[in-house]
């Protein structure tokens, strides 16, 4: 954006909006005067490389499914008997573990992007808003809920734009998200909390007539309470993308096939069944019907174990038959002619 010809005020605003994580469509919808900078905006954002449209949403849903499947398979490997998972409910992925003395909740935000994230990014601010609302609304500030931010994208350092522009102190040398990861809250909070508050209040103003409820909730948070909240967040950047997670899921299924004496030829079928199960449950309206239980995943392996035993009884030579490769593609007439 810098160095381009145009109204300087417009260009400065556009640069701030880009830094805050707005898409070109969102920016150009804010003012008709911004439309003349469309090419400039897209060039600055390298739009062809960034998943900010429907394609990103589709990739996000695919990532949610494989992440939920991965959680269920790992729970089965760990011998857990009371783990439930679903997607697109409360958060991108929700895991409920009632295997221990208390119920543990894990909610996860999945982001499939090629551009990096800073504290100014829309996705970061929105994820923190969701986490904060879930923490108060679902478990009433309990420490039994964990939050996961999972993405294949890297962390990038903030620029002093938006809310940060009004803070006199210089930004820390490290990215603000990195400070949160390292739990350097004294250095991070003076910058992170104003960004978060501005976004949090503005979003709730759109959906309520009594914003005072949210303002009072925010003001009730002390430094120690914020430490508790951010200690519950697990930040995962530069992680495996959807394809790589699917390979991990396939490997976990192969491990469980060996554990339950299921022929490896069924592994692809089991992967497809688990992913279909997770996706189809999203159409259920009842909360309990949406959840996939780890026992349902285990039953897929047990059913195929039983099927294999039946085949063995029906045909003791099944192993030999399965190992025979037939490259003869002739039809019956060609075979008759071949021996005559």
């Amino acid at each position: 954006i810098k160095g381009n010809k145009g109204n300087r005020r417009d260009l400065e605003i556009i640069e701030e909006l880009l830094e805050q994580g707005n898409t070109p469509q969102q920016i150009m919808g804010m003012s008709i005067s911004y439309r003349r900078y469309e090419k400039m905006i897209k060039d600055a954002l390298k739009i062809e490389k960034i998943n900010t449209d429907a394609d990103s949403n589709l990739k996000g849903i695919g990532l949610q499914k494989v992440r939920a499947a991965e959680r269920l398979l790992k729970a089965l490997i760990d011998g857990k008997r009371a783990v439930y998972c679903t997607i697109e409910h409360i958060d991108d992925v929700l895991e409920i573990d009632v295997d221990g003395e208390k119920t543990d909740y894990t909610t996860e935000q999945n982001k499939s992007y090629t551009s990096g994230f800073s504290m100014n990014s829309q996705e970061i601010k929105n994820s923190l808003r969701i986490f904060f609302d879930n923490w108060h609304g679902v478990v009433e500030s309990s420490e039994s809920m964990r939050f996961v931010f999972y993405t294949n994208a890297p962390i990038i350092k903030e620029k002093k734009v938006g809310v940060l522009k009004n803070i006199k102190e210089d930004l820390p040398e490290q990215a603000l998200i990195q400070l949160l990861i390292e739990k350097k809250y004294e250095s991070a909070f003076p910058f992170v909390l104003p960004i978060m508050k501005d976004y949090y209040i503005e979003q709730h103003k759109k959906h309520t007539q009594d914003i005072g409820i949210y303002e009072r909730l925010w003001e009730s948070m002390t430094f120690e309470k914020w430490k508790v909240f951010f200690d519950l967040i697990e930040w995962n950047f530069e992680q495996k993308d959807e394809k790589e997670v699917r390979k991990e899921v396939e490997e976990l299924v192969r491990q469980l096939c060996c554990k339950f004496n299921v022929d490896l030829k069924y592994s692809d079928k089991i992967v497809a069944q688990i992913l279909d199960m997770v996706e189809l449950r999203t159409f259920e309206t009842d909360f309990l019907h949406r959840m996939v239980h780890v026992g349902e995943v285990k039953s897929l392996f047990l059913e195929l174990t039983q099927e294999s035993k039946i085949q063995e009884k029906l045909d003791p030579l099944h192993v030999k038959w399965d190992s025979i490769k037939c490259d003869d593609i002739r039809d019956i007439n060609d075979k008759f002619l071949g021996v005559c």
Side-chain angles (χ1 to χ4, degrees), residues 124-300:
I124 296 292
K125 292 186 289 188
N126 195 50
S127 295
L128 287 172
R129 178 195 63 78
I130 293 170
F131 291 162
F132 189 65
D133 281 342
N134 285 340
W135 190 46
H136 279 286
V138 178
V139 291
E140 298 179 343
S141 305
S142 169
E143 293 182 46
S144 66
M145 176 171 265
R146 300 283 171 179
F147 308 104
V148 178
F149 185 87
Y150 182 98
T151 181
N152 60 317
I155 298 170
I156 58 175
K157 198 174 184 306
E158 294 73 16
K159 293 181 181 178
K160 207 163 188 183
V161 297
V163 175
L164 292 177
K165 189 171 60 176
N166 301 322
I167 300 176
K168 293 181 180 180
E169 290 78 7
D170 292 333
L171 284 169
E173 291 185 8
Q174 286 183 289
L176 296 177
I177 296 174
Q178 187 61 43
L179 292 175
L180 293 175
I181 292 172
E182 296 177 12
K183 303 188 187 303
K184 297 177 180 178
Y185 297 137
E186 291 80 2
S187 300
F189 283 176
F191 302 94
V192 169
L193 296 182
I195 295 173
M196 191 176 164
K197 179 182 179 180
D198 178 74
Y199 184 82
Y200 183 79
I201 298 300
E202 283 302 313
Q203 290 302 305
H204 281 294
K205 277 182 180 178
K206 299 175 183 178
H207 306 289
T208 183
Q209 293 181 339
D210 186 9
I211 192 62
I213 296 172
Y214 298 96
E215 290 175 336
R216 288 190 294 274
L217 173 60
W218 189 274
E219 296 304 324
S220 71
M221 292 292 293
T222 63
F223 183 87
E224 291 303 317
K225 286 182 180 178
W226 280 121
K227 283 177 63 177
V228 171
F229 170 70
F230 278 98
D231 279 346
L232 299 175
I233 300 177
E234 179 184 321
W235 300 96
N236 291 317
F237 288 88
E238 298 185 78
Q239 300 298 310
K240 296 176 181 177
D241 61 16
E242 180 189 340
K243 289 183 180 179
E244 293 171 318
V245 177
R246 184 175 179 118
K247 289 179 182 178
E248 178 69 18
V249 167
E250 291 168 353
E251 175 57 30
L252 292 171
V253 166
R254 285 192 287 271
Q255 290 179 29
L256 287 164
C257 281
C258 295
K259 179 178 179 179
F260 291 108
N261 295 316
V262 175
D263 196 309
L264 288 176
K265 69 180 182 180
Y266 293 114
S267 61
D268 289 343
K269 177 181 179 181
I270 295 171
V271 170
Q273 286 178 321
I274 295 171
L275 295 178
D276 285 346
M277 191 187 300
V278 170
E279 183 175 12
L280 289 173
R281 295 293 175 85
T282 62
F283 297 103
E284 297 285 349
T285 54
D286 182 81
F287 171 68
L288 290 177
H289 290 164
R290 291 179 66 99
M291 305 297 289
V292 178
H293 185 261
V294 66
E296 295 177 271
V297 176
K298 183 178 181 179
S299 69
L300 296 176

Side-chain angles (χ1 to χ4, degrees), residues 330 334-340:
R330 296 176 299 166
D334 289 338
K335 290 179 179 179
F336 272 121
L337 291 173
V339 296
C340 291

